[in-house]
Amino acid sequence: MRAVVTARRATAQALRNLGRTTDGLVEVRRGISTAERLGYPSLAAEGRMTLSFLLLEVGRLRAALATIDQALGSLDGLEAAKARTNRALILHRSGRHREAMDEYAAALPVIRRAKDGRSERLLRGNRAQLSAEQGDIASAVADMEWSRRYALEQGRTIDAADDLWNLAALHALAGDLPRALELFDRADAEWGDVDRPQRFTARAEVLLEAGLAADAAELASDGIRWAQAHGWMYAEAEARLWLALASLTLPSPDLVRAEQEARAAVTAFAHQGRPDWQVLAQHAELVVRIRRSGRPADLDRAVEVASLLRDRGRDAHAADLRVAAGRRALAQGDIARARTMLGPLANQSTSRQIEVRSRAWYARALLQTIGSEAGASASLVRAWRLAEEQTALRGATELRAASASHASDIVATGCGLAVRERNVLRAFAWAERGRSSSLRRPVVRAPQDPELASALARLRWSAMLDENALQDGDVDLAFRARRRRDEAEVRRLSLRARGGGRAERVATVTDIRRCAEHRALVELLQHDARYWAVRVDASGAELLPLAPVGEIGQHVDTLVFALRRLLATPPGPGRDRMRGTLDSAREQLRTLVIEPLGTAEGTALVVSPVGHLCQLPWGALDQCCGGITVAPSATTWFRAQSEP
């Protein structure tokens, strides 16, 4: 009968490895029932060890912990040490890190005395992940490398590939994304056709951090399909959240898909008893719904969810949600709701969290635009500087995904104020700030300065500890204090690396006038569905209105279409008609874009486009003036003119 019970336990493990975890739960429970009926308590306890692991895999953390605790009451020696290893993993996943490390420390000597290399490998691999989260990088690497060496010595290539994947995840957390992606590829090759859920969720998060939203969305979609087919509800819920965030972060956001996936993630986390993941998904869902329609009910719900986020220690997420709701209310002319959303946030401008301070100053600027607009520009500059400083600090993945949108919102508001005031200098400055942010590539490697690299690693670990505590429903003041200390150290070292705090300088109107000579630089921007141009030449600068965005965009599309067809059409009547279409679109664009600039005939233009005009082949219009040069920003053009 012992053989039958053991066989059911082995079958459950095999079913789990095949992705059929639900079927595995049925098998192991049958084995436990049989052992109890026949009076084998230790055998039933061994079955509960397997049951606890399977429950952990499907996201039932409380049930898994209760099951392993029940098993420990009937075990001793090596089997008890194995059970404590399982218990440590469950505690780790539950965010109870100190207890988990104590369990590992108690189990390892027993396992080593028994010379059970397989159990030691399992323990070391799990402990490496926990050590990394606690910032003990040396211990994490040592454990993981021991684990991989043992697996290779035993010919267990799949286990060795698992270890390689975990090493890749460590490199990602250390900030070396190229190395992480390289090891992910190697692990994929070593796995072959073996399925692993982390192939999708962990890698999607890394891709999203690297700014590769489209790749992250594709991988998250694959992860959802795989998790559904194999019953991995825990992984499916997280994959849906990553897909929602990636869809929201795409260059052309897919808001419908983002809302669908965020709503599904909310439901899944609720069923799994994961309230802190649930509130993160609620945050994502509400941000999407506010951006899509901004119904009064959604705006009112934003206040409720923002309060819930703050109660759970997620002040930055609450601030992000209040800004989204407040901007939408202002756009709809609902001043009362805008004040309700933004007022409490504006009073947090001295918060210790840089993400909150940046959004608080932005909220203050938005409120100042109601009525006199006095002080709004200065508040926006404060918000922008804090947002720039934040780029050096690694926060939660959801906030990293939102940071680019936050910076763009600040720029859009700044441009709008400058246009309304017809302030050409501010319009130029805000347009350049937006371009400098857009052109900045994501940092995907640790810095060369060893001291700064070490400080950034410590910050990432402390941020992870803080995030994991929050996901467990806890605000750990020690973790929060450590994170603030690490952020301050990174800022200090970053300022030193930049030469005492001198940020990379953006070109000014004066710079452009000095090197313009016989050219005119045209900085394009958008406000209230209309294009505007800041034209700068040696004689001065001027802010000029152009045609509506939709009207110009229609002619840009026609010109691009005609040019492509012209290149693909053989000589004949069809080609002549297409040339006529091209010439007509070119003439319309000359009238809408070039003529309003008021430049002297024969003046060469340097154009820094924006929006739909980035797709325009500007060379098609160079017959309308003295030639056109296209530059990604005035600053990059100025440097090219002024540097050897």
Side-chain angles (χ1 to χ4, degrees):
M1 186 52 65
R2 172 178 287 272
V4 172
V5 175
T6 302
R8 288 197 180 278
R9 185 181 174 194
T11 300
Q13 288 279 23
L15 288 168
R16 175 262 176 190
N17 292 336
L18 292 171
R20 296 168 55 189
T21 307
T22 303
D23 294 337
L25 287 168
V26 173
E27 282 295 321
V28 73
R29 283 183 172 126
R30 287 174 178 169
I32 294 169
S33 177
T34 301
E36 288 179 331
R37 188 174 66 252
L38 297 176
Y40 294 104
S42 61
L43 195 57
E46 291 173 14
R48 287 192 175 90
M49 290 170 56
T50 301
L51 176 60
S52 68
F53 181 71
L54 297 183
L55 289 169
L56 175 65
E57 292 287 280
V58 297
R60 298 177 58 186
L61 304 182
R62 289 189 292 269
L65 188 59
T67 300
I68 199 66
D69 286 347
Q70 185 178 359
L72 277 166
S74 302
L75 296 171
D76 56 20
L78 178 60
E79 292 304 316
K82 291 179 181 179
R84 297 189 79 170
T85 300
N86 271 18
R87 190 173 193 273
L89 180 60
I90 297 167
L91 290 168
H92 176 189
R93 294 273 184 90
S94 301
R96 296 162 64 177
H97 295 162
R98 288 186 293 271
E99 295 175 70
M101 195 60 80
D102 289 343
E103 291 291 334
Y104 285 134
L108 182 58
V110 178
I111 290 173
R112 297 196 71 180
R113 284 196 298 270
K115 297 182 179 180
D116 186 345
R118 185 174 181 180
S119 295
E120 182 175 354
R121 177 198 166 274
L122 177 64
L123 185 151
R124 286 183 177 273
N126 291 340
R127 189 175 67 173
Q129 297 297 317
L130 179 55
S131 296
E133 293 182 20
Q134 292 183 317
D136 189 353
I137 302 173
S139 295
V141 170
D143 272 342
M144 191 59 65
E145 290 182 344
W146 187 99
S147 176
R148 179 166 166 80
R149 283 196 304 272
Y150 176 81
L152 290 172
E153 289 170 1
Q154 299 297 312
R156 302 181 66 87
T157 56
I158 302 304
D159 290 341
D162 289 344
D163 291 334
L164 189 60
W165 182 270
N166 290 330
L167 281 169
L170 292 178
H171 281 285
L173 290 168
D176 190 348
L177 304 187
R179 176 62 172 165
L181 292 172
E182 175 192 348
L183 293 181
F184 280 140
D185 286 342
R186 285 178 53 192
D188 263 334
E190 291 188 17
W191 270 331
D193 295 330
V194 176
D195 287 321
R196 288 289 188 270
Q198 61 267 39
R199 239 174 182 161
F200 306 101
T201 53
R203 198 168 189 175
E205 183 177 0
V206 172
L207 289 166
L208 193 58
E209 181 181 349
L212 303 172
D215 300 88
E218 181 179 355
L219 196 63
S221 296
D222 292 341
I224 291 170
R225 288 190 290 271
W226 185 91
Q228 288 175 331
H230 295 81
W232 290 62
M233 296 178 291
Y234 194 99
E236 180 188 347
E238 293 182 14
R240 288 193 181 279
L241 179 56
W242 300 138
L243 179 54
L245 294 171
S247 300
L248 189 59
T249 314
L250 290 168
S252 297
D254 186 346
L255 298 182
V256 174
R257 183 68 179 275
E259 182 179 352
Q260 291 172 344
E261 297 303 334
R263 187 186 304 118
V266 169
T267 302
F269 289 134
H271 288 165
Q272 294 170 17
R274 300 163 71 185
D276 287 274
W277 280 94
Q278 180 183 350
V279 77
L280 287 178
Q282 287 176 327
H283 165 265
E285 181 187 12
L286 262 181
V287 168
V288 177
R289 292 175 66 172
I290 288 167
R291 287 181 60 177
R292 286 192 67 193
S293 60
R295 294 175 298 182
D298 292 330
L299 299 181
D300 293 340
R301 172 69 174 155
V303 175
E304 179 184 343
V305 174
S307 298
L308 181 60
L309 285 162
R310 288 205 72 187
D311 289 343
R312 295 185 176 276
R314 296 191 175 276
D315 292 19
H317 290 83
D320 182 63
L321 184 56
R322 282 189 174 274
V323 165
R327 289 185 75 242
R328 189 67 178 188
L330 279 177
Q332 296 174 346
D334 191 342
I335 304 303
R337 274 196 172 88
R339 292 187 186 278
T340 300
M341 308 296 168
L342 300 172
L345 176 57
N347 292 322
Q348 297 181 54
S349 57
T350 58
S351 168
R352 293 184 176 183
Q353 296 184 49
I354 190 170
E355 303 98 331
V356 176
R357 291 204 305 278
S358 177
R359 287 163 173 81
W361 279 105
Y362 185 40
R364 180 172 295 188
L366 291 172
L367 289 172
Q368 288 165 335
T369 64
I370 303 173
S372 65
E373 300 183 358
S377 184
S379 297
L380 281 173
V381 172
R382 291 286 297 272
W384 172 260
R385 288 174 179 168
L386 288 166
E388 289 288 271
E389 185 179 342
Q390 184 186 342
T391 60
L393 307 176
R394 179 180 184 267
T397 302
E398 311 86 67
L399 291 177
R400 292 198 300 274
S403 62
S405 176
H406 175 54
S408 297
D409 291 343
I410 295 174
V411 169
T413 303
C415 285
L417 281 177
V419 168
R420 287 198 293 272
E421 296 170 356
R422 294 298 191 269
N423 189 315
V424 63
L425 298 181
R426 286 183 181 172
F428 182 88
W430 278 112
E432 276 300 291
R433 288 186 182 108
R435 284 160 169 76
S436 70
S437 177
S438 298
L439 293 169
R440 186 180 295 108
R441 294 176 179 270
V443 178
V444 294
R445 285 195 186 279
Q448 295 301 308
D449 180 349
E451 193 174 357
L452 178 56
S454 178
L456 279 166
R458 289 195 300 272
L459 172 59
R460 292 184 181 108
W461 303 134
S462 61
M464 175 175 289
L465 288 171
D466 192 21
E467 286 298 312
N468 285 346
L470 290 173
Q471 287 167 5
D472 195 42
D474 244 347
V475 179
D476 192 306
L477 297 180
F479 291 165
R480 185 60 53 87
R482 173 181 168 180
R483 181 174 183 170
R484 286 198 296 266
R485 289 194 301 270
D486 291 342
E487 285 180 348
E489 180 68 2
V490 167
R491 282 196 294 272
R492 182 184 71 81
L493 294 171
S494 296
L495 291 175
R496 185 186 70 181
R498 292 200 299 264
R502 292 189 300 275
E504 190 174 290
R505 195 172 76 85
V506 175
T508 64
V509 167
T510 301
D511 294 328
I512 302 303
R513 289 184 60 188
R514 191 166 55 244
C515 67
E517 298 178 344
H518 302 296
R519 294 164 292 194
L521 183 136
V522 178
E523 183 104 358
L524 293 162
L525 54 97
Q526 292 178 230
H527 172 63
D528 280 348
R530 177 178 292 276
Y531 283 115
W532 294 75
V534 178
R535 181 179 58 77
V536 185
D537 58 23
S539 63
E542 189 176 2
L543 179 63
L544 303 164
L546 301 180
V549 171
E551 184 178 358
I552 290 178
Q554 178 182 353
H555 294 301
V556 170
D557 290 340
T558 300
L559 188 147
V560 171
F561 170 78
L563 185 59
R564 288 174 175 165
R565 289 295 300 271
L566 188 66
L567 292 171
T569 304
R575 185 180 179 91
D576 294 339
R577 285 194 299 271
M578 199 53 58
R579 184 177 295 279
T581 301
L582 175 65
D583 291 340
S584 175
R586 178 162 46 197
E587 180 63 22
Q588 291 292 334
L589 289 169
R590 183 188 71 80
T591 302
L592 296 174
V593 178
I594 303 299
E595 285 185 359
L597 300 177
T599 54
E601 186 175 350
T603 300
L605 297 179
V606 178
V607 177
S608 178
V610 70
H612 214 64
L613 286 171
C614 291
Q615 302 178 35
L616 175 62
W618 286 87
L621 302 182
D622 62 5
Q623 298 174 358
C624 307
C625 54
I628 297 178
T629 298
V630 182
S633 72
T635 300
T636 55
W637 180 79
F638 171 70
R639 288 185 187 142
Q641 302 304 307
S642 58
E643 295 179 0

